[in-house]
Amino acid sequence: YNYHGTYFLTSAPNIRSLPIDSGIEIAFAGLSNVGKSSALNTLINQKKLVRISKIPGNTKLINIFEVEPGIRLVDLPGYGYAVLPEKIKIQLQNTMLEYLQKRTSLKGLVVIMDIRYPMKYLDQQIVQLAVEFNLPVLVLLTKADKLSTCACKLQLTKVRETALVFVNNIQVEMFSSLTKQGIDKLRKKLNA
Ligand code: GDP
């Protein structure tokens, strides 16, 4: 795809408010603050598009960007906010579950993680769900610029090992929005 014309299409508070379920969607998920917005901005080569469309204080929305007619990138709500009330957390989880399970146009999930930390429980859960629903998953370990090459490789191996405990085969790659490391691999994967 050519991401240069990507624009903000809409925000949806729930599954029913999403655009018509046709075409192709690639969803991005991750814990809050891992660098998901930055990774999306890097992918589409626009400095602020994803951040701008974030409504302050409202992190529970699904944000949708159109790359080309019928091709969409979906920014799922960052999970793991400690401050959210339990009721909202459960609502969010159900929305994610429903989206992953029922969305026909959804063709792939990219899970963004901070390369400095081990794979968290919520990351494991979402990866496991996606695999159960036969959805191709790519795990991107972002902020790779924050560690030495050697430390990055070690983290990559650790995350792969963690994932292999509950899924047979999963692609895990390094990424950095700062240096654009890994951008070619990400684009190639999304084009496949
Ligand atoms: P989100 O909450 O997951 O959307 O995270 P953001 O994209 O807003 O990033 C959270 C913080 O991490 C911000 O201060 C970013 O500048 C920083 N950040 C994101 N990606 C990178 C990266 O690849 N390298 C470095 N060094 N910092 C990053």
Side-chain angles (χ1 to χ4, degrees), residues 3-191:
Y3 295 94
H4 286 79
T6 304
Y7 69 98
F8 173 65
L9 188 64
T10 184
S11 286
N14 53 48
I15 302 301
R16 280 155 298 283
S17 321
L18 288 171
I20 295 171
D21 193 3
S22 67
I24 293 175
E25 261 170 26
I26 306 290
F28 285 69
L31 288 159
S32 41
N33 219 35
V34 287
K36 178 158 60 73
S37 308
S38 304
L40 272 161
N41 282 329
T42 303
L43 171 65
I44 63 183
N45 218 351
Q46 297 185 32
K47 280 206 164 65
K48 284 194 169 125
L49 183 66
V50 177
R51 203 173 307 271
I52 285 168
S53 57
K54 265 187 188 172
I55 300 163
N58 202 339
T59 46
K60 304 181 292 293
L61 293 173
I62 302 172
N63 290 314
I64 299 129
F65 303 88
E66 187 154 80
V67 177
E68 289 172 19
I71 313 284
R72 296 179 298 274
L73 297 175
V74 176
D75 185 14
L76 293 170
Y79 40 83
Y81 281 97
V83 292
L84 284 182
E86 203 56 32
K87 201 178 143 201
I88 306 277
K89 275 191 201 166
I90 290 166
Q91 265 174 21
L92 262 177
Q93 278 172 18
N94 288 338
T95 301
M96 300 267 245
L97 180 71
E98 206 184 335
Y99 176 75
L100 293 180
Q101 190 171 25
K102 296 188 181 158
R103 190 78 174 162
T104 312
S105 51
L106 180 62
K107 301 300 180 211
L109 178 73
V110 180
V111 177
I112 311 283
M113 289 175 46
D114 188 321
I115 196 161
R116 294 170 294 173
Y117 309 111
M119 193 174 203
K120 303 273 166 70
Y121 175 69
L122 289 169
D123 294 321
Q124 298 185 27
Q125 267 197 323
I126 198 163
V127 168
Q128 200 164 9
L129 274 177
V131 170
E132 265 173 42
F133 301 146
N134 291 317
L135 200 61
V137 180
L138 170 66
V139 175
L140 272 194
L141 306 184
T142 193
K143 307 194 190 183
D145 58 278
K146 289 203 182 256
L147 296 178
S148 69
T149 309
C150 189
C152 279
K153 280 187 181 148
L154 187 65
Q155 284 301 102
L156 188 74
T157 306
K158 280 186 182 166
V159 172
R160 279 184 180 147
E161 279 171 356
T162 307
L164 279 175
V165 173
F166 58 94
V167 289
N168 284 330
N169 190 14
I170 186 145
Q171 192 176 352
V172 186
E173 302 291 350
M174 297 180 211
F175 192 82
S176 164
S177 294
L178 204 73
T179 65
K180 296 192 198 282
Q181 176 186 351
I183 186 73
D184 292 341
K185 266 191 180 162
L186 172 61
R187 292 209 170 122
K188 205 170 152 196
K189 173 86 174 170
L190 297 190
N191 280 330

